[in-house]
Amino acid sequence: MELFKIETGSFMLDGGAMFGVVPKVLWNKVYPADENNMCILSMRCLLIKSDKQLILIDTGIGNKQSEKFFGYYFLQDQILIDKAIKHAGFDPLDVTDVILTHLHFDHCGGTVAKKNGDEYALHFPNANHWVSQQQWEWSQSPNFREKASYLKENIIPVMESGKLKFIQKEGAFNDNIYIRFFNGHSEGVIVPVIKFRDKKIAYVGDVFPTTAHIPISWVCGFDTKPLVSMQERADFLSEAVKNDYIFFFEHDFYNECCTLTTNEKGVCVKEVCGFGEF
Ligand SMILES: [Zn+2]
């Protein structure tokens, strides 16, 4: 099995929104904002190649929406997911599975391309696209908080193509990938835990957006159920320390991966490392 990180560029979000009730004097020291209080975030996907499957986790933001929409997010160095896959040496037609951690636009926007005006086409037409049943249902009657993050054009064409598949419960996706569910950020958010050589790599997505979000109470302001987030993050951190998980960050612009340890305050970063250094 081989792993490839797939960078699709970065975008900016308000630092206050990223760190919720944590005071800026604290978070700004570890994840600095610019003069407009914006923090830079990556959209780092992961490609997993095994003998039988070529599996992509998340697809970036894509390019289907209006200039006005993208104007809010200050995209930088954007590479559309199909190009990024080609850069890694693969043909998008060979991708067998796309696992979408959830359906917020910065995670699944690259799934569907806009071609010739208003026509939609899948970037990975031969792939089954997996999302949790809970997230799918949640996204179909969205609450006021998340409404603006669920964009029909990012997922309905997948459903109409017959390539949208649902994961009902936690469990093995294949011999090397185990699917975990989290409900604090949104309902049924997937964290895939990948067995790789003698390591386990957790693709922590929006559950731990950056290394700065590892303290349990440093919950992202976007989370729909912050108390649930804190409890499930605490539980997962204990498990991660016990089992030497490596966290792979989708959104941390500065750090690709880290290992964890425990100090007097709780679980913290042991060492940050680049992808490929572990
Ligand atoms: Zn999200």
Side-chain angles (χ1 to χ4, degrees):
M1 193 172 79
E2 285 177 274
L3 303 182
F4 302 85
K5 72 167 167 142
I6 305 291
E7 300 278 2
T8 66
S10 55
F11 69 123
M12 309 286 282
L13 282 180
D14 184 84
M18 280 311 292
F19 290 97
V21 299
V22 179
K24 185 178 178 185
V25 287
L26 297 180
W27 63 253
N28 200 44
K29 284 184 206 150
V30 281
Y31 207 91
D34 71 7
E35 66 281 8
N36 295 315
N37 207 45
M38 303 293 271
C39 290
I40 187 163
L41 298 164
S42 294
M43 289 175 285
R44 188 176 296 119
C45 309
L46 184 64
L47 188 69
I48 304 163
K49 181 189 181 294
S50 66
D51 291 346
K52 298 186 206 120
Q53 287 169 297
L54 189 59
I55 302 169
L56 175 65
I57 304 176
D58 279 355
T59 62
I61 200 168
N63 68 345
K64 295 186 298 303
Q65 289 76 30
S66 65
E67 246 176 67
K68 186 180 170 204
F69 174 87
F70 288 113
Y72 298 130
Y73 300 107
F74 307 96
L75 294 183
Q76 293 172 39
D77 303 323
Q78 196 192 15
I79 310 170
L80 287 180
I81 189 71
D82 57 332
K83 287 221 177 69
I85 294 287
K86 284 180 196 159
H87 284 173
F90 296 95
D91 185 335
L93 295 175
D94 292 336
V95 174
T96 58
D97 300 272
V98 177
I99 298 174
L100 298 169
T101 59
H102 60 304
L103 299 175
H104 290 164
F105 61 81
D106 53 318
H107 296 258
C108 71
T111 309
V112 175
K114 205 174 195 177
K115 297 215 164 127
N116 320 323
D118 280 340
E119 298 231 332
Y120 292 124
L122 304 195
H123 271 310
F124 308 105
N126 298 322
N128 284 323
H129 294 64
W130 300 91
V131 66
S132 78
Q133 176 97 41
Q134 293 90 320
Q135 173 66 192
W136 167 254
E137 284 168 9
W138 185 254
S139 71
Q140 293 309 292
S141 43
N143 54 64
F144 293 116
R145 165 69 65 79
E146 290 176 273
K147 210 172 185 155
S149 295
Y150 290 127
L151 307 176
K152 286 190 166 50
E153 64 272 26
N154 284 341
I155 196 68
I156 297 300
V158 186
M159 192 191 63
E160 287 172 351
S161 75
K163 288 289 190 183
L164 187 63
K165 309 283 171 188
F166 299 117
I167 298 175
Q168 316 279 351
K169 54 180 196 289
E170 293 190 323
F173 183 78
N174 64 19
D175 289 348
N176 296 308
I177 302 174
Y178 197 91
I179 298 290
R180 301 291 296 270
F181 284 174
F182 291 79
N183 301 311
H185 175 64
S186 181
E187 202 67 24
V189 171
I190 288 174
V191 169
V193 179
I194 303 135
K195 232 194 292 169
F196 180 64
R197 299 185 187 140
D198 58 341
K199 312 263 190 251
K200 281 193 174 156
I201 296 149
Y203 186 90
V204 288
D206 278 0
V207 177
F208 297 93
T210 71
T211 44
H213 290 86
I214 284 174
I216 290 161
S217 59
W218 287 42
V219 165
C220 183
F222 296 106
D223 285 14
T224 57
K225 287 168 279 182
L227 295 178
V228 173
S229 281
M230 288 184 217
Q231 188 60 56
E232 57 192 15
R233 283 154 40 85
D235 294 344
F236 194 67
L237 284 174
S238 312
E239 177 187 330
V241 169
K242 213 193 262 171
N243 297 286
D244 280 331
Y245 290 176
I246 293 166
F247 276 13
F248 179 101
F249 294 102
E250 183 166 19
H251 285 317
D252 193 320
F253 181 79
Y254 307 101
N255 305 299
E256 291 171 352
C257 302
C258 83
T259 53
L260 300 159
T261 188
T262 307
N263 67 13
E264 67 287 352
K265 287 187 190 156
V267 176
C268 60
V269 171
K270 183 178 180 187
E271 221 177 336
V272 292
C273 52
F275 179 82
E277 287 171 28
F278 52 77

